[in-house]
Amino acid sequence: EQLVENGYIRQQDGYYFINCKPDVIIRRIQGEELAIKSLKKAKFFSSIIARFPFVRAVSLSGSISKYYMDKDSDIDYFIITTPGRMWVARTLLVLF
């Protein structure tokens, strides 16, 4: 609040920003809405990927992990495998 009062940052609709136009907020809100829609698909495919042999964990990375997506964004997965089995798991997932 003090930074806003002193004019160092700006605040609008619960968003804080520095040296940018307020239309960035509209883009951020639209990106959050797209991320919410994409999370359903990401959760579905994460549950499938988690069932593959040698897969120990599945996480989301990239823009969706920041709860924001553009219309051209894709869903990036970070996959942990059993030690020594990364290439086998990767090959199976690529074939999928």
Side-chain angles (χ1 to χ4, degrees):
E1 294 299 319
Q2 186 177 7
L3 293 173
V4 173
E5 289 175 15
N6 292 335
Y8 293 113
I9 63 174
R10 295 174 62 190
Q11 187 270 343
Q12 181 179 328
D13 300 327
Y15 293 89
Y16 295 87
F17 50 97
I18 301 171
N19 297 331
C20 65
K21 298 177 183 176
D23 62 330
V24 171
I25 295 170
I26 295 168
R27 193 175 113 213
R28 176 65 190 186
I29 292 169
Q30 291 171 344
E32 287 177 7
E33 290 172 358
L34 187 55
I36 289 168
K37 292 177 186 175
S38 297
L39 277 172
K40 291 178 184 179
K41 186 190 312 185
K43 287 179 183 179
F44 173 75
F45 282 105
S46 292
S47 67
I48 292 172
I49 292 169
R51 293 184 184 122
F52 272 71
F54 312 118
V55 171
R56 296 297 170 250
V58 181
S59 299
L60 297 175
S61 64
S63 60
I64 198 169
S65 69
K66 296 162 190 68
Y67 215 58
Y68 175 85
M69 293 188 78
D70 289 320
K71 62 181 179 179
D72 298 326
S73 295
D74 61 353
I75 300 172
D76 299 309
Y77 296 93
F78 183 79
I79 301 169
I80 307 285
T81 64
T82 303
R85 299 294 184 186
M86 181 190 72
W87 290 106
V88 175
R90 182 186 182 279
T91 301
L92 292 172
L93 288 165
V94 167
L95 291 172
F96 168 69

